[in-house]
Amino acid sequence: MKAESLNSDLRDLIDFQAKAVSSHYDLPPKFFAGFLGPRMAYSCGYFADEDNTLEEAEENKLLLTAKKLDLKKEDTILDIGCGWGSFLFYAVENFGCQAVGITVSKEQAAFVNSVAEARGLKDKVRADVVHVYNMDYPREFFNKIVTIGAIEHMDDLHRVFSKSAPFLKEDGLMLVHGMTKPWSAREEELQGISSEVGEMVKEHFGVGYWKSLWELMEALEKSGFEILDHENITRHYQLTVERWLERLQENEAMLVDNIVPEETYREFLVFMAGYIVGFETSHTLCNQILCRKISCGDLRPALPLTRENIVLHSGKGCLCKKD
Amino acid sequence: MQERLTANHIAEQVFDHMVPKILVEQPDIARRVNAVIGIELTGENGGYWTLDLTDTPVIERGKTKEPKCTLTAQVDDFRDLLTNGSVRAALDAFKKKRIQASGHLPTILKLEVLLKSLSKQNNVVA
């Protein structure tokens, strides 16, 4: 009886989260195309230089992610919360990998699958509409997992990573990229002190759970992952959203009423501005964590001795070259 | 001690008296905003104020410096905002275009703390 009740609660939670998150991401893709870069990456870019364009920052981020995951042609990738497929297509088109993305947004999955068909990549890439708690793939089917800008919608990171781990081969790599809160703010939330702004942000994105960095790392370790590398990319996200906001304002005439109501457009203006302030004032942080599935007692395959292969060096322009 | 605002002269009471006092009592507010902001209140007893919230905060009538951003509203809508004092009400007003903003939008949002301080200190007499 208790198990049935728990399952029912979980089903309700999954339904709630899927509907809530979809309310944000099921807005027309043309609206998001009105402020995102050409890859439609709705997450932090990576700036080799403060003057990088949004397009360059998108390419840099994808390259950096690929380098951290040590992508190879034979890789099979799972992208949890794949959005409009920016990383899926980057991995398939630049490295020849096989890739599966999951999203709760029907609009996003339809977009990814239609682009895959249009580009003749149906046998290489697809998006499934499924909640992370319900995903079901063969054991050790993937050797790389990535989740970019999606953990913010996930209530229980331990459940997410424990659910993901069996689908990953032993010694497979996982890259987790997402926003966190400083511990002081998170501690207040855990004590039941909610901020009006925090609640509004959650409503804007349908549903949101911003954890602290150590909670994220704890969930990874407890789920059988060894943390290999961490990079704080908060400043990169501030620069990214500054460019989104500029583009949103530039495209106002094209977007308002043609694609979304003016109130929706203006709500996005405020939330983007709010995120810029949040990053600037350390209310919100962004991190990339690279880890691998390994158990205590397992032989440790050799890793590079330095971070040289997982960094992008600063400099002018785009770093988007694959060495 | 609470200030009692009269609806007729709310703009000048706020910007000529209350905001300068708050900025002295809470110097962190200006330090965190660190920008010049224009406030343009239209309608009866409205006006334009320049809030220089940089090193030495100064509030002046008229456009005395080039603002990084400008907030524009009807006096009545501004009074509602102060009376309510919530960020959610401010967002709703912005979405419905009862508050307009031009220039660097993120800087306007940094006025949240000032809005909350004002809201705590006043009650409006209709």
Side-chain angles (χ1 to χ4, degrees), chain A residues 196-197 199-200 203 242 245 249 252 262-264 266-267 269-277 280-281 283, chain B residues 32 84-89 91 93-101 103-107 109-110 112 116:
Chain A
E196 189 181 19
V197 173
E199 292 304 311
M200 288 164 59
E203 288 167 24
E242 283 175 359
L245 180 59
Q249 291 175 309
E252 178 178 358
E262 184 161 26
E263 285 198 14
T264 303
R266 290 175 73 82
E267 182 174 317
L269 281 182
V270 171
F271 278 96
M272 281 188 198
Y275 261 102
I276 291 167
V277 176
E280 191 185 353
T281 57
H283 283 89
Chain B
R32 289 184 177 193
N84 192 303
S86 83
V87 182
R88 190 181 295 277
L91 172 66
F94 181 81
K95 281 165 65 177
K96 291 178 168 59
K97 297 179 84 168
R98 287 191 284 109
I99 296 176
Q100 298 278 21
H104 190 247
L105 193 54
T107 301
L109 299 194
K110 292 183 180 175
E112 177 203 348
K116 285 193 177 293

Side-chain angles (χ1 to χ4, degrees), chain A residues 46 70 248 255:
Chain A
Y46 198 89
D70 191 24
L248 191 64
L255 297 171

Side-chain angles (χ1 to χ4, degrees), chain A residues 7-200:
Chain A
N7 288 338
S8 165
D9 288 347
L10 184 58
R11 275 199 303 274
D12 289 347
L13 178 70
I14 288 169
D15 284 349
F16 162 72
Q17 288 181 348
K19 280 180 191 148
V21 173
S22 295
S23 71
H24 184 85
Y25 295 96
D26 277 352
L27 287 169
K30 277 185 182 173
F31 174 62
F32 293 96
F35 62 87
L36 299 177
R39 295 271 189 181
M40 293 280 281
Y42 195 20
S43 62
C44 174
Y46 198 89
F47 289 77
D49 187 281
E50 297 263 342
D51 296 334
N52 277 174
T53 63
L54 180 59
E55 289 75 8
E56 289 168 338
E58 269 191 343
E59 293 297 319
N60 288 340
K61 193 277 290 290
L62 291 166
L63 172 63
L64 179 65
T65 306
K67 282 170 75 97
K68 288 187 176 182
L69 283 168
D70 191 24
L71 284 195
K72 293 183 169 60
K73 187 179 180 197
E74 57 270 25
D75 286 343
T76 304
I77 303 166
L78 172 64
D79 185 344
I80 299 173
C82 65
W84 294 278
S86 59
F87 187 73
L88 295 174
F89 289 112
Y90 185 82
V92 169
E93 292 177 329
N94 289 281
F95 293 86
C97 310
Q98 295 273 341
V100 175
I102 65 164
T103 171
V104 292
S105 165
K106 290 175 186 160
E107 283 274 357
Q108 287 185 328
F111 181 90
V112 170
N113 291 327
S114 67
V115 172
E117 183 158 8
R119 295 185 191 174
L121 296 170
K122 268 180 73 176
D123 58 333
K124 301 285 279 183
V125 58
R126 74 164 198 271
D128 296 336
V129 181
V130 61
H131 191 285
V132 64
Y133 295 161
N134 278 340
M135 64 180 177
D136 188 17
Y137 298 101
R139 192 170 179 82
E140 300 199 355
F141 186 73
F142 303 100
N143 66 331
K144 306 282 165 69
I145 295 181
V146 64
T147 179
I148 303 173
I151 57 168
E152 296 87 340
H153 295 303
M154 299 170 185
D155 62 302
D156 184 342
L157 294 180
H158 183 241
R159 188 191 288 271
V160 170
F161 300 138
S162 298
K163 177 78 184 176
S164 310
F167 307 135
L168 185 64
K169 284 187 169 62
E170 285 300 318
D171 200 40
L173 294 174
M174 179 162 77
L175 185 91
V176 179
H177 169 136
M179 285 187 276
T180 57
K181 274 183 180 179
W183 173 243
S184 55
R186 175 68 178 139
E187 190 175 31
E188 282 190 356
E189 187 179 73
L190 289 169
Q191 289 168 353
I193 305 168
S194 66
S195 82
E196 189 181 19
V197 173
E199 292 304 311
M200 288 164 59

Side-chain angles (χ1 to χ4, degrees), chain B residues 28-89:
Chain B
D28 264 9
I29 291 178
R31 188 175 60 78
R32 289 184 177 193
V33 175
N34 193 31
V36 175
I37 296 177
I39 305 285
E40 186 173 16
L41 299 178
T42 56
E44 197 176 350
N45 297 313
Y48 189 106
W49 281 264
T50 299
L51 280 57
D52 180 350
L53 305 177
T54 54
D55 293 341
T56 311
V58 183
I59 311 297
E60 295 172 308
R61 280 195 182 221
K63 189 174 179 179
T64 59
K65 289 170 188 150
E66 195 54 41
K68 190 170 182 182
C69 55
T70 304
L71 184 148
T72 307
Q74 289 271 347
V75 171
D76 289 347
D77 289 327
F78 179 69
R79 185 193 57 208
D80 290 347
L81 200 63
L82 283 188
T83 310
N84 192 303
S86 83
V87 182
R88 190 181 295 277

